[in-house]
């Protein structure tokens, strides 16, 4: 079965064709990132306009690279939530038009479920497993009981890990996205040079909190400026990155041990982070856990992950009618059927 996936939740306009949820026949991504760099973050209206300009060409290219026409496609999967609403609406509306014109089923896909599925196209891992999903907007620890059954065990109380890295990067004067800049700069720095807290949420031990770390960076910089001391940016980046990764990996280990998981999966844009990949691998080998992290090309936003998850949603009967809408927020454990039964 061939699924055409469409993704437009942030600044990537993407389309892919994936066979049986696992075999990527094409994966095309156009990004407006360079324009957003000028503003230090994603400008929603620019992202929406670039999606509108690029989407037809990106879909055409994905079909061409997969050596397919729409006749070969069994269903159209599209990211419908969560994300920037104007950006999501471009992909959702395009998918609806395409489904109507070609008389194909339309499959709504949750963006974070898609990130998790980037592991299905990178390895042969299958649920059940425990997953750390870390992106620009979300930090969740999720029990993936089956391809379509998700249970949130822990999540951030405030900023997402990616958001904290991006904000810290900005404070350090690094290029957007800060997460990528901090990862690149950190090998040149000493990760023990600056002291950061390892925040814990006392009433809910599986949750994260990153906003204090962001404030700590600001304080370190202000204090140094007041004393006329020099800030060594690579040291600050490496120390900050270490504290974020420690929080993520320590919590993941705690949940896995306490809830008896031995299969661990990591997903989302921050899963590209070298320190996180290294530390997660160490933690998993210490505990004899199996670990899956997506190939680097599938860590960021792409449509192959949406087509992969779309396949599993489709065989479970998750389809939408012509009234499909986009949503800026949506819990990962809610299926489209439950919010809008056909
Ligand atoms: O999943 P994603 O591409 O978009 C969202 O769904 O949010 O994640 C983007 C986030 C950004 O915060 C970015 O800084 C972070 O992923 N990111 C990284 C790395 N690559 C992307 N953070 C740390 N290290 C990286 N190598
Ligand atoms: Zn994403």
């Amino acid at each position: 079965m061939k699924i055409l996936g469409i993704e437009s939740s942030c600044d990537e306009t993407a389309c892919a064709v994936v066979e049986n949820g696992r075999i990527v026949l094409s994966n095309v991504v156009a990004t407006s990132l360079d324009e957003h760099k000028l503003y230090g973050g994603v400008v929603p209206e620019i992202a929406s306009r670039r999606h509108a300009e690029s989407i037809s060409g990106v879909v055409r290219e994905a079909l061409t690279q997969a050596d397919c026409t729409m006749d070969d496609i069994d269903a159209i999967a599209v990211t419908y939530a969560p994300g920037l609403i104007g950006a999501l609406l471009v992909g959702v509306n395009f998918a609806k038009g395409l489904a109507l014109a070609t008389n194909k089923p339309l499959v709504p896909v949750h963006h974070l479920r898609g990130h998790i599925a980037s592991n299905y196209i990178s390895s042969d891992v299958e649920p059940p497993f425990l997953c750390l999903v870390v992106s620009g907007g979300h930090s969740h620890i999720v029990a993936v009981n089956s391809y379509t059954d998700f249970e949130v065990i822990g999540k951030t109380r405030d900023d997402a890990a990616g958001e904290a890295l991006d904000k810290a990067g900005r404070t350090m004067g690094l290029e957007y996205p800060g997460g990528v800049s901090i990862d690149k700069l950190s090998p040149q720095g000493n990760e023990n040079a600056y002291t950061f807290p390892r925040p814990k949420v006392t009433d809910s031990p599986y949750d994260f909190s990153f906003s204090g770390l962001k404030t700590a960076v600001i304080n370190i910089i202000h204090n140094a400026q007041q004393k006329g001391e020099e800030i060594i940016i690579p040291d600050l980046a490496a120390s900050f990155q270490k504290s974020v990764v420690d929080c993520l990996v320590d919590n993941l280990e705690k949940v896995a041990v306490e809830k008896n998981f031995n299969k661990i999966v990591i997903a989302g844009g921050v899963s590209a982070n070298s320190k996180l990949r290294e530390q997660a691998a160490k933690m998993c080998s210490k505990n004899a856990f199996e670990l899956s992290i997506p190939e680097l090309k599938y860590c960021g936003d792409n449509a192959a992950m949406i087509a992969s998850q779309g396949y599993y949603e489709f065989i479970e009967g998750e389809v939408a009618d012509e009234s499909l809408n986009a949503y800026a927020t949506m819990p990962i454990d809610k299926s489209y059927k439950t919010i809008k039964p056909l």
Side-chain angles (χ1 to χ4, degrees):
M1 191 184 288
K2 291 191 179 85
I3 308 288
L4 179 107
I6 294 176
E7 155 67 37
S8 72
S9 66
C10 192
D11 55 340
E12 270 85 28
T13 319
C15 182
V17 180
V18 174
E19 195 166 0
N20 296 335
R22 298 271 174 173
I23 304 157
V24 180
L25 302 183
S26 67
N27 182 39
V28 178
V29 183
T31 178
S32 51
L33 177 65
D34 282 345
E35 266 181 275
H36 305 294
K37 278 183 181 169
L38 301 172
Y39 305 95
V42 175
V43 182
E45 186 174 328
I46 294 179
S48 305
R49 287 174 184 276
R50 296 301 165 257
H51 289 314
E53 286 165 8
S54 310
I55 195 156
S56 306
V58 166
V59 172
R60 201 188 302 280
E61 184 61 23
L63 285 166
T64 305
Q65 287 188 17
D67 202 14
C68 285
T69 68
M70 281 308 292
D71 290 343
D72 305 309
I73 300 296
D74 295 283
I76 299 162
V78 62
T79 307
Y80 78 107
L84 301 171
I85 195 69
L88 285 166
L89 280 167
V90 177
V92 165
N93 259 328
F94 190 92
K96 282 165 71 165
L98 195 58
L100 182 69
T102 56
N103 202 23
K104 305 279 177 188
L106 182 63
V107 184
V109 175
H110 189 288
H111 182 74
L112 296 183
R113 292 187 182 198
H115 270 302
I116 295 171
S118 57
N119 284 278
Y120 306 147
I121 50 179
S122 299
S123 72
D124 51 13
V125 68
E126 288 176 18
F129 51 75
L130 184 70
C131 185
L132 171 71
V133 196
V134 268
S135 70
H138 298 85
S139 299
H140 281 15
I141 296 181
V142 183
V144 182
N145 300 323
S146 77
Y147 288 105
T148 53
D149 179 9
F150 301 78
E151 191 187 329
V152 178
I153 297 182
K155 60 179 183 218
T156 182
R157 288 295 185 90
D158 37 58
D159 292 349
E163 190 181 357
L165 286 158
D166 292 345
K167 287 177 178 168
R170 194 174 179 163
T171 311
M172 294 177 210
L174 304 177
E175 184 181 68
Y176 177 83
V180 177
S181 301
I182 287 176
D183 192 5
K184 274 197 201 138
L185 200 57
S186 291
Q188 300 164 33
N190 170 6
E191 64 187 17
N192 301 311
Y194 292 95
T195 309
F196 283 98
R198 302 287 185 270
K200 298 232 178 324
V201 181
T202 43
D203 59 339
S204 183
Y206 301 147
D207 282 353
F208 302 105
S209 170
F210 292 110
S211 65
L213 287 181
K214 181 186 64 192
T215 315
V217 179
I218 295 170
N219 288 344
I220 287 172
I221 293 177
H222 283 175
N223 284 344
Q225 280 168 345
Q226 274 165 5
K227 291 184 196 153
E229 287 170 5
E230 192 197 347
I231 291 279
I232 318 280
I233 296 294
D235 287 355
L236 190 59
S239 307
F240 184 80
Q241 176 177 265
K242 175 85 170 76
S243 70
V244 171
V245 170
D246 277 352
C247 293
L248 293 172
V249 176
D250 289 355
N251 227 0
L252 183 61
E253 180 176 27
K254 185 177 167 67
V255 177
V257 169
E258 291 181 11
K259 303 218 171 249
N260 289 317
F261 282 92
N262 56 15
K263 219 193 276 183
I264 306 294
V265 166
I266 304 186
V270 182
S271 66
N273 183 264
S274 358
K275 189 80 202 168
L276 175 60
R277 294 172 85 96
E278 177 195 309
Q279 235 167 269
K282 273 192 202 147
M283 182 278 279
C284 287
S285 95
K286 182 184 102 190
N287 290 286
F289 296 155
E290 209 179 294
L291 173 66
S292 172
I293 310 183
E295 288 173 64
L296 282 177
K297 65 178 173 188
Y298 298 128
C299 287
D301 290 348
N302 67 83
M305 67 186 199
I306 302 303
S308 171
Q309 182 62 21
Y311 167 78
Y312 294 105
E313 301 282 353
F314 184 50
I315 57 180
E316 285 297 315
E318 184 83 352
V319 285
D321 66 12
E322 292 171 3
S323 68
L324 177 65
N325 209 337
Y327 302 87
T329 59
M330 180 65 61
I332 192 172
D333 50 2
K334 269 217 161 93
S335 74
Y336 187 73
K337 264 188 293 205
T338 60
I339 56 166
K340 199 154 187 319
L342 279 182

